[in-house]
PDB file of all heavy atoms in Angstrom:
ATOM      1  N   PRO T 196     100.213 120.112  94.741  1.00 79.00           N
ATOM      2  CA  PRO T 196     101.209 119.472  93.888  1.00 79.00           C
ATOM      3  C   PRO T 196     101.556 118.083  94.396  1.00 79.00           C
ATOM      4  O   PRO T 196     101.472 117.814  95.594  1.00 79.00           O
ATOM      5  CB  PRO T 196     102.419 120.407  93.995  1.00 79.00           C
ATOM      6  CG  PRO T 196     102.248 121.081  95.302  1.00 79.00           C
ATOM      7  CD  PRO T 196     100.774 121.236  95.503  1.00 79.00           C
ATOM      8  N   LYS T 197     101.898 117.211  93.477  1.00 84.00           N
ATOM      9  CA  LYS T 197     102.394 115.907  93.889  1.00 84.00           C
ATOM     10  C   LYS T 197     103.669 116.100  94.695  1.00 84.00           C
ATOM     11  O   LYS T 197     104.443 117.009  94.446  1.00 84.00           O
ATOM     12  CB  LYS T 197     102.678 115.030  92.674  1.00 84.00           C
ATOM     13  CG  LYS T 197     101.438 114.416  92.047  1.00 84.00           C
ATOM     14  CD  LYS T 197     101.836 113.478  90.930  1.00 84.00           C
ATOM     15  CE  LYS T 197     100.612 112.857  90.270  1.00 84.00           C
ATOM     16  NZ  LYS T 197     100.991 111.979  89.147  1.00 84.00           N
ATOM     17  N   LYS T 198     103.865 115.234  95.656  1.00 91.00           N
ATOM     18  CA  LYS T 198     105.046 115.354  96.498  1.00 91.00           C
ATOM     19  C   LYS T 198     105.583 113.968  96.822  1.00 91.00           C
ATOM     20  O   LYS T 198     104.830 112.996  96.867  1.00 91.00           O
ATOM     21  CB  LYS T 198     104.723 116.122  97.771  1.00 91.00           C
ATOM     22  CG  LYS T 198     103.680 115.480  98.642  1.00 91.00           C
ATOM     23  CD  LYS T 198     103.225 116.392  99.768  1.00 91.00           C
ATOM     24  CE  LYS T 198     102.103 117.290  99.308  1.00 91.00           C
ATOM     25  NZ  LYS T 198     101.491 118.067 100.380  1.00 91.00           N
ATOM     26  N   ARG T 199     106.875 113.902  97.029  1.00 95.00           N
ATOM     27  CA  ARG T 199     107.506 112.656  97.424  1.00 95.00           C
ATOM     28  C   ARG T 199     107.247 112.403  98.918  1.00 95.00           C
ATOM     29  O   ARG T 199     106.858 113.316  99.654  1.00 95.00           O
ATOM     30  CB  ARG T 199     109.018 112.714  97.187  1.00 95.00           C
ATOM     31  CG  ARG T 199     109.437 112.949  95.754  1.00 95.00           C
ATOM     32  CD  ARG T 199     109.078 111.815  94.835  1.00 95.00           C
ATOM     33  NE  ARG T 199     109.689 110.557  95.230  1.00 95.00           N
ATOM     34  CZ  ARG T 199     109.521 109.415  94.537  1.00 95.00           C
ATOM     35  NH1 ARG T 199     108.753 109.400  93.461  1.00 95.00           N
ATOM     36  NH2 ARG T 199     110.089 108.307  94.945  1.00 95.00           N
ATOM     37  N   PRO T 200     107.448 111.163  99.376  1.00 96.00           N
ATOM     38  CA  PRO T 200     107.291 110.894 100.812  1.00 96.00           C
ATOM     39  C   PRO T 200     108.253 111.728 101.651  1.00 96.00           C
ATOM     40  O   PRO T 200     109.305 112.164 101.176  1.00 96.00           O
ATOM     41  CB  PRO T 200     107.623 109.391 100.925  1.00 96.00           C
ATOM     42  CG  PRO T 200     107.335 108.840  99.566  1.00 96.00           C
ATOM     43  CD  PRO T 200     107.690 109.936  98.607  1.00 96.00           C
ATOM     44  N   GLN T 201     107.888 111.940 102.894  1.00 95.00           N
ATOM     45  CA  GLN T 201     108.720 112.721 103.796  1.00 95.00           C
ATOM     46  C   GLN T 201     110.042 112.004 104.063  1.00 95.00           C
ATOM     47  O   GLN T 201     110.119 110.780 104.042  1.00 95.00           O
ATOM     48  CB  GLN T 201     107.978 112.951 105.117  1.00 95.00           C
ATOM     49  CG  GLN T 201     106.741 113.810 104.993  1.00 95.00           C
ATOM     50  CD  GLN T 201     105.959 113.893 106.292  1.00 95.00           C
ATOM     51  OE1 GLN T 201     106.019 112.986 107.125  1.00 95.00           O
ATOM     52  NE2 GLN T 201     105.220 114.975 106.475  1.00 95.00           N
ATOM     53  N   LYS T 202     111.072 112.785 104.336  1.00 94.00           N
ATOM     54  CA  LYS T 202     112.371 112.214 104.671  1.00 94.00           C
ATOM     55  C   LYS T 202     112.275 111.542 106.028  1.00 94.00           C
ATOM     56  O   LYS T 202     111.786 112.115 106.994  1.00 94.00           O
ATOM     57  CB  LYS T 202     113.432 113.312 104.691  1.00 94.00           C
ATOM     58  CG  LYS T 202     114.847 112.783 104.878  1.00 94.00           C
ATOM     59  CD  LYS T 202     115.871 113.903 104.801  1.00 94.00           C
ATOM     60  CE  LYS T 202     117.282 113.346 104.979  1.00 94.00           C
ATOM     61  NZ  LYS T 202     118.308 114.425 104.921  1.00 94.00           N
ATOM     62  N   GLN T 203     112.762 110.315 106.106  1.00 94.00           N
ATOM     63  CA  GLN T 203     112.622 109.528 107.322  1.00 94.00           C
ATOM     64  C   GLN T 203     113.833 109.676 108.236  1.00 94.00           C
ATOM     65  O   GLN T 203     114.935 110.002 107.790  1.00 94.00           O
ATOM     66  CB  GLN T 203     112.411 108.046 106.967  1.00 94.00           C
ATOM     67  CG  GLN T 203     111.201 107.798 106.082  1.00 94.00           C
ATOM     68  CD  GLN T 203     109.912 108.285 106.707  1.00 94.00           C
ATOM     69  OE1 GLN T 203     109.685 108.123 107.901  1.00 94.00           O
ATOM     70  NE2 GLN T 203     109.040 108.890 105.891  1.00 94.00           N
ATOM     71  N   ASP T 204     113.612 109.420 109.510  1.00 94.00           N
ATOM     72  CA  ASP T 204     114.652 109.567 110.520  1.00 94.00           C
ATOM     73  C   ASP T 204     115.742 108.517 110.326  1.00 94.00           C
ATOM     74  O   ASP T 204     115.462 107.310 110.264  1.00 94.00           O
ATOM     75  CB  ASP T 204     114.035 109.422 111.907  1.00 94.00           C
ATOM     76  CG  ASP T 204     115.061 109.569 113.015  1.00 94.00           C
ATOM     77  OD1 ASP T 204     115.687 110.636 113.080  1.00 94.00           O
ATOM     78  OD2 ASP T 204     115.233 108.625 113.799  1.00 94.00           O
ATOM     79  N   ALA T 205     116.979 108.963 110.204  1.00 94.00           N
ATOM     80  CA  ALA T 205     118.108 108.063 109.951  1.00 94.00           C
ATOM     81  C   ALA T 205     118.296 107.072 111.094  1.00 94.00           C
ATOM     82  O   ALA T 205     118.643 105.899 110.870  1.00 94.00           O
ATOM     83  CB  ALA T 205     119.379 108.874 109.731  1.00 94.00           C
ATOM     84  N   GLU T 206     118.075 107.528 112.313  1.00 92.00           N
ATOM     85  CA  GLU T 206     118.232 106.638 113.468  1.00 92.00           C
ATOM     86  C   GLU T 206     117.192 105.519 113.439  1.00 92.00           C
ATOM     87  O   GLU T 206     117.495 104.365 113.749  1.00 92.00           O
ATOM     88  CB  GLU T 206     118.098 107.455 114.756  1.00 92.00           C
ATOM     89  CG  GLU T 206     118.387 106.663 116.017  1.00 92.00           C
ATOM     90  CD  GLU T 206     118.354 107.527 117.265  1.00 92.00           C
ATOM     91  OE1 GLU T 206     118.528 108.760 117.140  1.00 92.00           O
ATOM     92  OE2 GLU T 206     118.151 106.974 118.362  1.00 92.00           O
TER      93      GLU T 206
END
Side-chain angles (χ1 to χ4, degrees):
K197 282 185 181 178
K198 61 190 87 172
R199 300 294 300 181
Q201 294 174 333
K202 186 176 181 181
Q203 302 302 319
D204 180 60
E206 186 175 338

